[in-house]
Amino acid sequence: KDQPRVAITAKLMANLLTQAGANRVITMDMHTPQLQGFFDIPLDHLYASTMTIPVLAALGLDNLTVVSPDVGGVKTARSYAKMLGDDVDLAVVDKRRPKHNVAEVMNIIGDVRGRNIIIVDDLIDTGSTFVKCAEAMKEAGAKQIFGLCTHPVFSGTAVEKICSSEAISKLFVTDTIPLRDHHPKIEVISVASLFAEAILRTHENQSISSLFDKIQN
């Protein structure tokens, strides 16, 4: 809760799921990992990086920098940077929100000039933050700019914003949310097999800890 009169509904949602009859939750890339503690039933938190890192590595990008679009995503971006190679840099966008769903890029922390960029985020809603972040990278001298998000909410005209931006080369998303609109600039990475394996191991009372691609400090 970052300001007065802001709703805190995560615990309510956890209670609703439990009261509806759920006795276990398997989820992926929660917006706030601390929400796991709101559940009174077992919860397994999977990480999309298990499936996305091989795809990003296959791009074969040199002079690579992983960018977090806000301070809250630094830990995830740092983890991706480490998994993609020891020579991968990290940058952070310092942004402000003058009002709901409106973001203004204020400053880029890190050097992105002449670098290939991968912007990593857990979700994209309206697309405004992601597009402004990519355009700020381009103005700062970045070369190719790729994006990765786990949950493609894509409300409103998000797809149009992303696909019409010349700064963005490609956006990778997972299929935790089915896409309503498809575009060549947006590539879907399926995480179905990861969930299937987690469900199978849970049903057979086997450990699923090996499926966790843990975020590194």
Side-chain angles (χ1 to χ4, degrees):
K1 186 171 181 178
D2 58 349
Q3 56 187 342
R5 303 182 67 85
V6 173
I8 302 177
T9 55
K11 178 60 177 177
L12 171 62
M13 295 305 299
N15 288 344
L16 288 173
L17 289 171
T18 303
Q19 290 299 317
N23 54 32
R24 192 180 189 104
V25 173
I26 300 176
T27 187
M28 175 173 284
D29 284 3
M30 299 181 80
H31 189 57
T32 306
Q34 294 91 327
L35 300 185
Q36 298 174 67
F38 288 2
F39 286 84
D40 298 322
I41 56 178
L43 183 143
D44 296 307
H45 188 204
L46 304 179
Y47 294 99
S49 54
T50 303
M51 311 300 291
T52 58
I53 285 293
V55 176
L56 298 178
L59 294 174
L61 299 174
D62 57 357
N63 296 322
L64 180 60
T65 296
V66 176
V67 174
S68 171
D70 53 42
V71 176
V74 170
K75 187 175 181 181
T76 299
R78 184 189 296 120
S79 173
Y80 270 85
K82 284 185 176 182
M83 288 186 284
L84 287 169
D86 296 334
D87 59 340
V88 178
D89 288 346
L90 176 67
V92 184
V93 173
D94 173 36
K95 69 181 181 183
R96 299 289 186 271
R97 289 189 181 275
K99 58 182 180 179
H100 183 61
N101 273 350
V102 176
E104 294 179 354
V105 174
M106 301 296 291
N107 191 31
I108 299 174
I109 304 171
D111 185 15
V112 298
R113 183 172 299 278
R115 308 284 296 182
N116 289 308
I117 303 297
I118 298 178
I119 303 171
V120 176
D121 208 351
D122 61 336
L123 65 86
I124 294 178
D125 185 4
T126 65
S128 297
T129 300
F130 175 70
V131 171
K132 286 184 178 181
C133 181
E135 292 175 348
M137 296 290 138
K138 203 67 174 180
E139 292 175 5
K143 295 166 67 177
Q144 294 187 85
I145 300 173
F146 297 86
L148 169 70
C149 85
T150 304
H151 311 297
V153 179
F154 291 169
S155 61
T157 59
V159 173
E160 289 79 1
K161 291 178 187 175
I162 293 167
C163 296
S164 62
S165 174
E166 297 181 359
I168 302 168
S169 298
K170 184 179 281 290
L171 171 63
F172 297 94
V173 302
T174 76
D175 53 356
T176 58
I177 301 176
L179 292 186
R180 294 172 298 174
D181 303 307
H182 294 270
H183 191 278
K185 189 176 279 191
I186 300 176
E187 182 174 328
V188 178
I189 302 172
S190 178
V191 292
S193 60
L194 183 61
F195 273 104
E197 183 65 21
I199 292 169
L200 179 62
R201 293 189 182 196
T202 300
H203 182 69
E204 296 180 347
N205 294 318
Q206 297 178 358
S207 171
I208 65 171
S209 60
S210 62
L211 298 178
F212 293 178
D213 194 2
K214 295 184 183 297
I215 296 297
Q216 304 173 32
N217 294 319

